[in-house]
Amino acid sequence: MTAPRPAKPAGRNVAAGPNVVRQSRGGGGNSRRGFFLALLLVAVVGAFAITRAVQNGSRTAAPIVVPPATAAAGARPVGYTLGSPTAPVEILEFADFECPLCGQYASVTEPDVRRQLIDAGLARYRILDIQVTQAHQNSPAASLAAACADEQGKFWPMHDRLFEGQNDWNTQATNDPRPVFEGYAKQLGLDVTRWGQCYDGRKYLSRLAVNRAEADRVQIPGTPAFVIGDRLLQGTPTFDAIKAMVDSARARAGSAPPVAAR
């Protein structure tokens, strides 16, 4: 026995069905095409904006590279001095502005060295700034900031400010330390326009190559390092250790006997 055919549902327009479906597909297709075109446009504009941002960032944040030490052949380092040029002993420091131990020495020990040895006329001070490791990418920029401050007689105030604010501009903090340095220049009362022209022109970058060549000659393995008389002192020495070396150098030079620290 053949099963009876099911009756057609009432009210269903079979003939009209395909037409309705085609109309629905046509409208959805246009909508989706418009959506994808809009999405593509947004992607293209976004990619362009990102590319421009990266390009702009690479221009402003490119690290400053020190010339090779061979570029300093025959040149003698000058550095930055503090104290009387006729003092019987010189304390020579090799320092990297981005070196944390240099920052520690500058804030803890160096103030006593300046007050009790330099200001007292027992020694003069000279610093040669170097980039001790390529990991300190912002160190050459800091050296430029200090050199350009020196043009206006403010090396030592900038020296102090750079070490005080080391965590604000070091490689871990930013890939573009210039705005921080410019802020320091303003704080120190420098002619900021003149300072900026000096900094952007990389005017004193060659000094770092000369200093690096001298550090290699003296065989400085790291910073801070000190040469007092004919002796090398490494690490972060105490004031007493530096004073003992100054006293010894003065004695060997035939100077007056050691003076008690004040």
Side-chain angles (χ1 to χ4, degrees):
M1 178 180 297
T2 304
R5 293 183 180 179
K8 295 181 181 179
R12 181 176 179 184
N13 187 342
V14 178
N19 293 330
V20 173
V21 171
R22 283 196 296 271
Q23 291 171 3
S24 174
R25 286 179 181 173
N30 290 335
S31 176
R32 283 195 294 271
R33 280 196 297 273
F35 170 79
F36 286 124
L37 285 174
L39 187 62
L40 179 61
L41 179 61
V42 169
V44 170
V45 172
F48 178 77
I50 292 172
T51 301
R52 289 296 300 274
V54 170
Q55 291 173 343
N56 290 338
S58 65
R59 283 197 300 268
T60 59
I64 296 172
V65 179
V66 180
T70 53
R76 296 297 301 166
V78 177
Y80 306 93
T81 60
L82 193 64
S84 172
T86 61
V89 176
E90 178 174 277
I91 302 171
L92 172 61
E93 179 190 3
F94 290 87
D96 180 332
F97 276 112
E98 199 172 343
C99 159
L101 291 179
C102 296
Q104 178 183 329
Y105 165 79
S107 62
V108 175
T109 305
E110 190 175 310
D112 287 335
V113 172
R114 292 189 193 182
R115 181 173 60 85
Q116 299 191 46
L117 299 179
I118 308 306
D119 293 347
L122 302 179
R124 64 183 176 273
Y125 207 91
R126 185 183 305 274
I127 185 172
L128 296 180
D129 49 331
I130 62 174
Q131 182 186 25
V132 72
T133 170
Q134 294 299 320
H136 294 171
Q137 292 188 14
N138 291 344
S139 177
S143 289
L144 278 178
C148 293
D150 182 60
E151 267 198 347
Q152 301 182 48
K154 294 288 183 73
F155 170 82
W156 289 100
M158 181 62 84
H159 163 283
D160 297 346
R161 191 68 189 88
L162 287 168
F163 279 126
E164 289 170 4
Q166 195 178 65
N167 290 334
D168 295 328
W169 59 263
N170 64 17
T171 303
Q172 288 70 40
T174 179
N175 65 349
D176 183 13
R178 189 191 189 287
V180 179
F181 298 155
E182 184 174 314
Y184 295 165
K186 291 177 182 177
Q187 293 172 12
L188 298 175
L190 299 177
D191 180 333
V192 177
T193 299
R194 179 183 169 191
W195 176 91
Q197 291 171 345
C198 172
Y199 180 93
D200 295 336
R202 311 291 192 257
K203 187 173 180 180
Y204 297 106
L205 191 59
S206 60
R207 288 184 180 179
L208 294 178
V210 177
N211 294 349
R212 178 73 257 181
E214 180 67 8
D216 292 342
R217 186 188 70 81
V218 182
Q219 298 183 345
I220 299 299
T223 55
F226 304 84
V227 177
I228 303 175
D230 58 356
R231 297 184 180 178
L232 175 63
L233 184 62
Q234 298 176 351
T236 52
T238 64
F239 168 77
D240 289 339
I242 291 179
K243 183 179 182 301
M245 290 187 68
V246 168
D247 288 343
S248 177
R250 293 178 73 243
R252 292 195 303 275
S255 303
V259 177
R262 295 180 295 175

